[in-house]
Amino acid sequence: MIYHIKLWRYSFYTHVFFSPIVIVSGLFQFNRWLMKNKPKIHRILGYIYVISVLLISAPSALVMAFYANGGRIAQISFVTLTLCWILFTWIALKKGKKGNYTSHVKWMLRSYALTLSAVTLRFYAYLFDVFNVNLPPRETYILVSYLSWIPNLLFVQLLIRFKYVEYLLADRTKT
């Protein structure tokens, strides 16, 4: 129903094209060995992630969010997700530039949790199909729109609570 809207279509293709770059560059940010032994590579991949999110993927996602299926309730979910993604990534960048690595990693974990919301959304959609969840399509999409990112953030908060950040930064020389 929205494919005919050029702005949405351009945003969709931009978002899809850059998604692998964002996912892969972000994934390597949490490799303890890379952080400790190859800080320059860590920084380069970090900048690729941040630039891709802040200048390309998140703005295109925001355009798509305004046209999301499921009506206003789903649109609110996706707009909130995207604005948080931008904010968390920006905060992570600022904390890293200031040398506050513990806070930097916490915010980057939150940002990456939101990056993975696209994967999580498809996972829940698959589970709903496999388990034959009997909800109308609109209600299913609304539910999945929130399940795609809120549990991800809750999981990250548990990682932070149980000292995963400290594990990542253990024995790290200051860069």
Side-chain angles (χ1 to χ4, degrees):
M1 292 176 23
I2 57 176
Y3 190 76
H4 68 281
I5 302 169
K6 283 186 180 182
L7 181 59
W8 180 89
R9 197 169 56 237
Y10 295 146
S11 297
F12 173 78
Y13 287 123
T14 301
H15 188 72
V16 168
F17 178 77
F18 275 90
S19 292
I21 295 167
V22 173
I23 290 171
V24 172
S25 63
L27 178 63
F28 285 106
Q29 294 307 294
F30 307 107
N31 181 300
R32 187 176 168 187
W33 182 89
L34 188 69
M35 290 169 70
K36 180 180 179 182
N37 298 304
K38 302 289 183 183
K40 188 172 184 173
I41 294 172
H42 172 79
R43 258 188 240 108
I44 290 168
L45 290 172
Y47 279 116
I48 290 170
Y49 176 83
V50 167
I51 289 166
S52 297
V53 169
L54 294 180
L55 299 181
I56 302 164
S57 289
S60 61
L62 188 59
V63 170
M64 292 167 44
F66 287 115
Y67 295 100
N69 293 321
R72 291 275 183 246
I73 298 171
Q75 291 167 353
I76 289 168
S77 174
F78 289 123
V79 168
T80 304
L81 159 62
T82 306
L83 293 177
C84 287
W85 194 26
I86 291 167
L87 179 64
F88 296 173
T89 306
W90 179 256
I91 292 171
L93 173 66
K94 290 298 176 190
K95 296 293 183 178
K97 285 196 161 287
K98 289 182 179 179
N100 186 343
Y101 298 121
T102 300
S103 187
H104 167 71
V105 172
K106 288 176 182 178
W107 285 105
M108 196 54 77
L109 280 166
R110 292 177 184 116
S111 171
Y112 196 65
L114 297 180
T115 295
L116 293 178
S117 67
V119 175
T120 309
L121 183 141
R122 282 151 188 84
F123 176 70
Y124 282 119
Y126 172 76
L127 288 180
F128 277 45
D129 186 46
V130 167
F131 292 107
N132 200 21
V133 175
N134 195 14
L135 283 173
R138 184 175 188 271
E139 284 72 16
T140 300
Y141 196 73
I142 290 169
L143 180 58
V144 169
S145 76
Y146 287 91
L147 286 175
S148 69
W149 62 278
I150 293 173
N152 290 11
L153 285 180
L154 293 173
F155 178 73
V156 163
Q157 287 306 123
L158 285 174
L159 288 177
I160 291 168
R161 173 82 171 100
F162 290 108
K163 309 293 185 191
Y164 180 69
V165 173
E166 289 76 2
Y167 164 77
L168 282 176
L169 295 174
D171 303 324
R172 184 174 183 267
T173 57
K174 187 168 177 146
T175 57

CSV table of all heavy atoms in Angstrom, one decimal, residues 9-46:
chain,number,residue,atom,x,y,z
A,9,ARG,N,10.0,4.5,-0.6
A,9,ARG,CA,10.8,3.5,-1.4
A,9,ARG,C,12.3,3.7,-1.4
A,9,ARG,O,13.1,2.8,-1.2
A,9,ARG,CB,10.2,3.4,-2.9
A,9,ARG,CG,10.6,2.2,-3.6
A,9,ARG,CD,9.9,2.1,-5.0
A,9,ARG,NE,10.0,3.2,-5.8
A,9,ARG,CZ,9.1,3.9,-6.3
A,9,ARG,NH1,7.8,3.6,-6.1
A,9,ARG,NH2,9.3,4.9,-7.1
A,10,TYR,N,12.7,5.0,-1.6
A,10,TYR,CA,14.1,5.3,-1.5
A,10,TYR,C,14.7,5.1,-0.1
A,10,TYR,O,15.8,4.5,0.0
A,10,TYR,CB,14.3,6.8,-1.9
A,10,TYR,CG,14.0,7.1,-3.4
A,10,TYR,CD1,13.5,8.3,-3.7
A,10,TYR,CD2,14.2,6.2,-4.4
A,10,TYR,CE1,13.1,8.7,-5.0
A,10,TYR,CE2,13.8,6.5,-5.7
A,10,TYR,CZ,13.3,7.7,-6.0
A,10,TYR,OH,13.0,8.0,-7.3
A,11,SER,N,13.9,5.4,0.9
A,11,SER,CA,14.3,5.2,2.2
A,11,SER,C,14.5,3.7,2.5
A,11,SER,O,15.4,3.2,3.1
A,11,SER,CB,13.3,5.8,3.2
A,11,SER,OG,13.3,7.2,3.1
A,12,PHE,N,13.5,2.9,2.0
A,12,PHE,CA,13.5,1.5,2.2
A,12,PHE,C,14.8,0.9,1.6
A,12,PHE,O,15.5,0.1,2.3
A,12,PHE,CB,12.3,0.8,1.6
A,12,PHE,CG,12.3,-0.7,1.6
A,12,PHE,CD1,12.0,-1.4,2.7
A,12,PHE,CD2,12.6,-1.4,0.4
A,12,PHE,CE1,12.1,-2.8,2.7
A,12,PHE,CE2,12.7,-2.8,0.4
A,12,PHE,CZ,12.4,-3.5,1.6
A,13,TYR,N,15.1,1.2,0.3
A,13,TYR,CA,16.3,0.6,-0.3
A,13,TYR,C,17.6,1.1,0.3
A,13,TYR,O,18.5,0.3,0.5
A,13,TYR,CB,16.2,0.9,-1.8
A,13,TYR,CG,15.2,0.1,-2.6
A,13,TYR,CD1,14.2,0.7,-3.3
A,13,TYR,CD2,15.2,-1.3,-2.5
A,13,TYR,CE1,13.3,0.0,-4.0
A,13,TYR,CE2,14.2,-2.0,-3.1
A,13,TYR,CZ,13.3,-1.4,-3.9
A,13,TYR,OH,12.3,-2.1,-4.6
A,14,THR,N,17.6,2.3,0.7
A,14,THR,CA,18.8,2.8,1.4
A,14,THR,C,19.0,2.1,2.7
A,14,THR,O,20.1,1.6,3.1
A,14,THR,CB,18.6,4.3,1.7
A,14,THR,OG1,18.5,5.0,0.5
A,14,THR,CG2,19.8,4.9,2.4
A,15,HIS,N,17.9,1.9,3.5
A,15,HIS,CA,18.0,1.2,4.8
A,15,HIS,C,18.4,-0.2,4.6
A,15,HIS,O,19.3,-0.7,5.3
A,15,HIS,CB,16.6,1.3,5.5
A,15,HIS,CG,16.6,0.8,6.8
A,15,HIS,ND1,17.1,1.5,7.9
A,15,HIS,CD2,16.0,-0.3,7.4
A,15,HIS,CE1,17.0,0.8,9.0
A,15,HIS,NE2,16.3,-0.3,8.7
A,16,VAL,N,17.8,-0.9,3.7
A,16,VAL,CA,18.1,-2.3,3.4
A,16,VAL,C,19.6,-2.5,2.9
A,16,VAL,O,20.3,-3.4,3.4
A,16,VAL,CB,17.2,-2.9,2.4
A,16,VAL,CG1,17.6,-4.3,1.9
A,16,VAL,CG2,15.8,-3.0,3.1
A,17,PHE,N,20.0,-1.6,2.1
A,17,PHE,CA,21.4,-1.7,1.6
A,17,PHE,C,22.4,-1.5,2.7
A,17,PHE,O,23.5,-2.2,2.7
A,17,PHE,CB,21.6,-0.6,0.5
A,17,PHE,CG,23.0,-0.6,-0.1
A,17,PHE,CD1,23.5,-1.6,-1.0
A,17,PHE,CD2,24.0,0.3,0.3
A,17,PHE,CE1,24.8,-1.7,-1.4
A,17,PHE,CE2,25.3,0.3,-0.1
A,17,PHE,CZ,25.7,-0.7,-1.0
A,18,PHE,N,22.2,-0.5,3.6
A,18,PHE,CA,23.2,-0.3,4.6
A,18,PHE,C,23.0,-1.2,5.8
A,18,PHE,O,23.9,-1.2,6.7
A,18,PHE,CB,23.1,1.2,5.0
A,18,PHE,CG,23.9,2.1,4.1
A,18,PHE,CD1,23.4,2.7,3.0
A,18,PHE,CD2,25.3,2.3,4.4
A,18,PHE,CE1,24.2,3.4,2.2
A,18,PHE,CE2,26.1,3.1,3.6
A,18,PHE,CZ,25.5,3.6,2.4
A,19,SER,N,22.0,-1.9,5.9
A,19,SER,CA,21.8,-2.8,7.1
A,19,SER,C,22.9,-3.7,7.4
A,19,SER,O,23.4,-3.8,8.5
A,19,SER,CB,20.5,-3.5,7.0
A,19,SER,OG,19.4,-2.6,7.1
A,20,PRO,N,23.4,-4.4,6.3
A,20,PRO,CA,24.5,-5.4,6.6
A,20,PRO,C,25.8,-4.6,7.1
A,20,PRO,O,26.5,-5.1,8.0
A,20,PRO,CB,24.8,-6.0,5.3
A,20,PRO,CG,23.6,-5.9,4.5
A,20,PRO,CD,22.9,-4.6,5.0
A,21,ILE,N,26.0,-3.4,6.6
A,21,ILE,CA,27.2,-2.7,7.0
A,21,ILE,C,27.1,-2.3,8.5
A,21,ILE,O,28.0,-2.4,9.3
A,21,ILE,CB,27.3,-1.4,6.1
A,21,ILE,CG1,27.6,-1.8,4.7
A,21,ILE,CG2,28.4,-0.4,6.7
A,21,ILE,CD1,27.5,-0.7,3.7
A,22,VAL,N,25.9,-1.9,8.9
A,22,VAL,CA,25.6,-1.5,10.3
A,22,VAL,C,25.7,-2.7,11.2
A,22,VAL,O,26.4,-2.6,12.2
A,22,VAL,CB,24.3,-0.8,10.4
A,22,VAL,CG1,23.9,-0.5,11.9
A,22,VAL,CG2,24.2,0.5,9.6
A,23,ILE,N,25.1,-3.8,10.8
A,23,ILE,CA,25.1,-5.0,11.7
A,23,ILE,C,26.5,-5.5,11.8
A,23,ILE,O,26.9,-5.8,12.9
A,23,ILE,CB,24.1,-6.0,11.1
A,23,ILE,CG1,22.7,-5.6,11.3
A,23,ILE,CG2,24.4,-7.4,11.8
A,23,ILE,CD1,21.7,-6.4,10.6
A,24,VAL,N,27.3,-5.7,10.7
A,24,VAL,CA,28.6,-6.3,10.8
A,24,VAL,C,29.6,-5.3,11.5
A,24,VAL,O,30.3,-5.7,12.4
A,24,VAL,CB,29.1,-6.6,9.4
A,24,VAL,CG1,30.6,-7.1,9.5
A,24,VAL,CG2,28.3,-7.8,8.8
A,25,SER,N,29.6,-4.0,11.2
A,25,SER,CA,30.5,-3.1,11.8
A,25,SER,C,30.2,-3.0,13.3
A,25,SER,O,31.1,-2.9,14.1
A,25,SER,CB,30.5,-1.7,11.2
A,25,SER,OG,29.3,-1.1,11.3
A,26,GLY,N,28.9,-3.0,13.7
A,26,GLY,CA,28.6,-3.0,15.1
A,26,GLY,C,28.9,-4.2,15.8
A,26,GLY,O,29.4,-4.2,17.0
A,27,LEU,N,28.8,-5.4,15.2
A,27,LEU,CA,29.1,-6.7,15.9
A,27,LEU,C,30.5,-6.7,16.3
A,27,LEU,O,30.8,-7.2,17.5
A,27,LEU,CB,28.8,-7.8,14.9
A,27,LEU,CG,29.1,-9.2,15.4
A,27,LEU,CD1,28.2,-9.6,16.6
A,27,LEU,CD2,28.9,-10.2,14.3
A,28,PHE,N,31.4,-6.2,15.5
A,28,PHE,CA,32.8,-6.3,15.9
A,28,PHE,C,33.2,-5.3,17.0
A,28,PHE,O,34.3,-5.4,17.6
A,28,PHE,CB,33.7,-6.1,14.6
A,28,PHE,CG,33.8,-7.2,13.7
A,28,PHE,CD1,33.1,-7.2,12.5
A,28,PHE,CD2,34.5,-8.4,14.1
A,28,PHE,CE1,33.1,-8.3,11.7
A,28,PHE,CE2,34.5,-9.5,13.2
A,28,PHE,CZ,33.9,-9.5,12.0
A,29,GLN,N,32.4,-4.4,17.3
A,29,GLN,CA,32.6,-3.5,18.4
A,29,GLN,C,32.7,-4.1,19.8
A,29,GLN,O,33.3,-3.6,20.7
A,29,GLN,CB,31.6,-2.3,18.4
A,29,GLN,CG,31.6,-1.5,17.2
A,29,GLN,CD,33.0,-0.9,17.0
A,29,GLN,OE1,33.6,-0.1,17.7
A,29,GLN,NE2,33.7,-1.4,15.9
A,30,PHE,N,32.1,-5.3,19.9
A,30,PHE,CA,32.1,-6.0,21.2
A,30,PHE,C,33.0,-7.2,21.3
A,30,PHE,O,32.8,-8.1,22.1
A,30,PHE,CB,30.6,-6.4,21.5
A,30,PHE,CG,29.7,-5.2,21.3
A,30,PHE,CD1,28.8,-5.1,20.3
A,30,PHE,CD2,29.7,-4.2,22.3
A,30,PHE,CE1,28.0,-4.0,20.1
A,30,PHE,CE2,28.9,-3.1,22.1
A,30,PHE,CZ,28.0,-3.0,21.1
A,31,ASN,N,34.0,-7.2,20.4
A,31,ASN,CA,35.0,-8.2,20.4
A,31,ASN,C,36.1,-7.7,21.4
A,31,ASN,O,36.9,-6.8,21.1
A,31,ASN,CB,35.6,-8.5,19.0
A,31,ASN,CG,36.6,-9.5,19.0
A,31,ASN,OD1,37.6,-9.4,19.6
A,31,ASN,ND2,36.3,-10.6,18.2
A,32,ARG,N,36.3,-8.4,22.5
A,32,ARG,CA,37.2,-8.0,23.5
A,32,ARG,C,38.7,-8.0,23.0
A,32,ARG,O,39.4,-7.1,23.3
A,32,ARG,CB,37.1,-8.9,24.7
A,32,ARG,CG,37.9,-8.6,25.9
A,32,ARG,CD,37.6,-9.5,27.0
A,32,ARG,NE,38.6,-9.3,28.1
A,32,ARG,CZ,38.7,-10.1,29.1
A,32,ARG,NH1,37.9,-11.1,29.3
A,32,ARG,NH2,39.6,-9.8,30.0
A,33,TRP,N,39.0,-9.0,22.2
A,33,TRP,CA,40.4,-9.1,21.7
A,33,TRP,C,40.7,-7.9,20.7
A,33,TRP,O,41.7,-7.3,20.8
A,33,TRP,CB,40.6,-10.4,20.9
A,33,TRP,CG,42.0,-10.6,20.4
A,33,TRP,CD1,43.0,-11.1,21.0
A,33,TRP,CD2,42.4,-10.1,19.1
A,33,TRP,NE1,44.1,-11.1,20.2
A,33,TRP,CE2,43.8,-10.5,19.0
A,33,TRP,CE3,41.8,-9.5,18.0
A,33,TRP,CZ2,44.6,-10.2,17.9
A,33,TRP,CZ3,42.6,-9.3,16.9
A,33,TRP,CH2,44.0,-9.6,16.8
A,34,LEU,N,39.7,-7.6,19.9
A,34,LEU,CA,39.9,-6.5,18.9
A,34,LEU,C,40.0,-5.2,19.7
A,34,LEU,O,40.8,-4.3,19.3
A,34,LEU,CB,38.7,-6.4,18.0
A,34,LEU,CG,38.8,-5.5,16.8
A,34,LEU,CD1,39.8,-5.9,15.8
A,34,LEU,CD2,37.4,-5.4,16.1
A,35,MET,N,39.2,-5.0,20.7
A,35,MET,CA,39.2,-3.7,21.5
A,35,MET,C,40.6,-3.5,22.1
A,35,MET,O,41.1,-2.4,22.1
A,35,MET,CB,38.2,-3.7,22.6
A,35,MET,CG,36.7,-3.6,22.0
A,35,MET,SD,35.5,-3.9,23.3
A,35,MET,CE,35.7,-2.5,24.3
A,36,LYS,N,41.2,-4.6,22.6
A,36,LYS,CA,42.4,-4.5,23.3
A,36,LYS,C,43.6,-4.5,22.4
A,36,LYS,O,44.5,-3.7,22.6
A,36,LYS,CB,42.6,-5.7,24.3
A,36,LYS,CG,43.8,-5.7,25.1
A,36,LYS,CD,43.9,-6.9,26.0
A,36,LYS,CE,45.2,-6.9,26.8
A,36,LYS,NZ,45.4,-8.0,27.6
A,37,ASN,N,43.6,-5.4,21.4
A,37,ASN,CA,44.8,-5.5,20.6
A,37,ASN,C,44.8,-4.7,19.3
A,37,ASN,O,45.9,-4.5,18.7
A,37,ASN,CB,45.0,-7.0,20.2
A,37,ASN,CG,45.2,-7.8,21.5
A,37,ASN,OD1,46.1,-7.6,22.3
A,37,ASN,ND2,44.4,-8.8,21.7
A,38,LYS,N,43.7,-4.3,18.8
A,38,LYS,CA,43.6,-3.6,17.5
A,38,LYS,C,42.7,-2.4,17.7
A,38,LYS,O,41.6,-2.3,17.0
A,38,LYS,CB,43.1,-4.5,16.4
A,38,LYS,CG,43.9,-5.7,16.1
A,38,LYS,CD,45.2,-5.3,15.5
A,38,LYS,CE,46.0,-6.6,15.1
A,38,LYS,NZ,47.3,-6.3,14.6
A,39,PRO,N,43.0,-1.5,18.6
A,39,PRO,CA,42.1,-0.3,18.9
A,39,PRO,C,41.9,0.5,17.6
A,39,PRO,O,40.8,1.1,17.5
A,39,PRO,CB,42.9,0.4,20.0
A,39,PRO,CG,44.3,0.0,19.9
A,39,PRO,CD,44.3,-1.4,19.4
A,40,LYS,N,42.8,0.6,16.7
A,40,LYS,CA,42.6,1.4,15.5
A,40,LYS,C,41.5,0.8,14.7
A,40,LYS,O,40.6,1.5,14.1
A,40,LYS,CB,43.9,1.5,14.7
A,40,LYS,CG,43.8,2.5,13.6
A,40,LYS,CD,45.1,2.8,12.9
A,40,LYS,CE,45.0,3.8,11.9
A,40,LYS,NZ,46.2,4.2,11.3
A,41,ILE,N,41.5,-0.5,14.5
A,41,ILE,CA,40.5,-1.2,13.7
A,41,ILE,C,39.1,-1.0,14.4
A,41,ILE,O,38.1,-0.8,13.8
A,41,ILE,CB,40.8,-2.7,13.5
A,41,ILE,CG1,42.0,-2.8,12.6
A,41,ILE,CG2,39.6,-3.4,12.9
A,41,ILE,CD1,42.6,-4.2,12.5
A,42,HIS,N,39.1,-1.1,15.8
A,42,HIS,CA,37.9,-0.9,16.6
A,42,HIS,C,37.4,0.5,16.3
A,42,HIS,O,36.2,0.6,16.1
A,42,HIS,CB,38.2,-1.1,18.1
A,42,HIS,CG,37.1,-0.7,19.0
A,42,HIS,ND1,36.0,-1.5,19.2
A,42,HIS,CD2,36.9,0.4,19.7
A,42,HIS,CE1,35.2,-0.9,20.0
A,42,HIS,NE2,35.7,0.3,20.3
A,43,ARG,N,38.2,1.5,16.3
A,43,ARG,CA,37.8,2.8,16.1
A,43,ARG,C,37.3,3.0,14.6
A,43,ARG,O,36.2,3.7,14.4
A,43,ARG,CB,38.9,3.8,16.3
A,43,ARG,CG,38.8,4.5,17.6
A,43,ARG,CD,39.8,5.6,17.8
A,43,ARG,NE,40.6,5.3,18.9
A,43,ARG,CZ,41.9,4.9,18.9
A,43,ARG,NH1,42.5,4.8,17.8
A,43,ARG,NH2,42.5,4.6,20.0
A,44,ILE,N,37.9,2.5,13.7
A,44,ILE,CA,37.5,2.6,12.3
A,44,ILE,C,36.1,2.0,12.1
A,44,ILE,O,35.2,2.6,11.5
A,44,ILE,CB,38.5,2.0,11.3
A,44,ILE,CG1,39.8,2.8,11.3
A,44,ILE,CG2,37.9,1.8,9.9
A,44,ILE,CD1,41.0,2.2,10.6
A,45,LEU,N,36.0,0.7,12.6
A,45,LEU,CA,34.7,0.1,12.5
A,45,LEU,C,33.6,0.8,13.3
A,45,LEU,O,32.4,0.9,12.9
A,45,LEU,CB,34.8,-1.4,13.0
A,45,LEU,CG,35.5,-2.3,12.1
A,45,LEU,CD1,35.7,-3.7,12.7
A,45,LEU,CD2,34.8,-2.5,10.7
A,46,GLY,N,34.0,1.4,14.4
A,46,GLY,CA,33.1,2.2,15.2
A,46,GLY,C,32.6,3.4,14.4
A,46,GLY,O,31.4,3.8,14.4
